[in-house]
Amino acid sequence: ERVLNVDLYSYEYGSIPPLEDCKVAVNIDCTYGNGQRCDQLGPRDTNCFETIKYGIDINNIGNIRLGIEYAQLTFNNQDFNLLNDLPTKTLGVGKSSLINAEIKIDVCNGGNFNAFVRVDAKGPNGFTCSASDNDYFYVPKVPKPKLTPKPPPPMPHPTLRPTPRPTLRPVTL
């Protein structure tokens, strides 16, 4: 049995190459309208549909070049492959890539809106690293207006018609 002993002295002075560091980070941000955060969305009486925008920022925070192999957004259990939307699938050290995704939602029916993004990257050494982030917001349902019965239309005022005068005729017995 062989035991490999490495001392700090040889590592500090370069006799052992430093480990390559595969690190990727991802951040998801949700906005709507003129840049308002999605957690500020509320119910509406009109225009039930709102387009929300997810900005997905993928960053190489390691010390080696990375190739993005998997990028997926899951929104309310519906999956969207983001790999083909990446401007570049290779990220140099300290570099990032931004993906913008738009989804139309019905805010009148309200509910929970959940987004989850996952990214897998691989370095030239074959090691894989992953990162994920999520975003959640809730919109209350628009209450349906209570139906109150309309009052019946007013009854027309009776109009008096003159009764015709009887005509007298002689009667024979």
Side-chain angles (χ1 to χ4, degrees):
E1 175 178 18
R2 251 178 114 152
V3 177
L4 177 63
N5 290 319
V6 177
D7 60 48
L8 291 174
Y9 180 82
S10 60
Y11 178 77
E12 278 183 34
Y13 292 95
S15 60
I16 299 174
L19 294 175
E20 291 179 343
D21 201 7
C22 177
K23 288 185 180 175
V24 65
V26 65
N27 181 47
I28 185 169
D29 210 16
C30 184
T31 59
Y32 75 99
N34 293 323
Q36 297 100 320
R37 291 194 40 78
C38 289
D39 57 7
Q40 298 171 351
L41 263 168
R44 306 212 177 113
D45 293 329
T46 60
N47 189 15
C48 289
F49 295 97
E50 182 68 59
T51 300
I52 59 173
K53 298 171 184 120
Y54 282 108
I56 301 157
D57 193 16
I58 303 169
N59 298 286
N60 180 348
I61 58 172
N63 62 11
I64 57 174
R65 177 180 45 84
L66 296 176
I68 306 300
E69 296 195 328
Y70 179 85
Q72 181 171 297
L73 170 67
T74 302
F75 180 78
N76 283 3
N77 297 320
Q78 187 177 6
D79 295 329
F80 300 92
N81 182 349
L82 303 174
L83 203 54
N84 292 330
D85 297 323
L86 278 169
T88 179
K89 291 182 181 64
T90 302
L91 294 179
V93 175
K95 299 295 181 185
S96 65
S97 189
L98 180 67
I99 302 169
N100 291 306
E102 293 186 353
I103 300 173
K104 189 175 265 191
I105 63 170
D106 181 353
V107 292
C108 289
N109 284 324
N112 295 312
F113 297 93
N114 299 294
F116 176 80
V117 65
R118 179 178 161 194
V119 174
D120 294 341
K122 187 181 274 190
N125 57 7
F127 291 119
T128 300
C129 47
S130 299
S132 63
D133 194 14
N134 64 342
D135 186 77
Y136 163 84
F137 62 96
Y138 171 77
V139 177
K141 187 174 184 175
V142 174
K144 292 192 177 181
K146 292 180 180 173
L147 297 175
T148 55
K150 284 185 175 180
M155 293 294 288
H157 293 297
T159 56
L160 295 176
R161 293 190 181 152
T163 38
R165 290 184 160 223
T167 53
L168 295 173
R169 291 190 187 167
V171 178
T172 49
L173 292 170

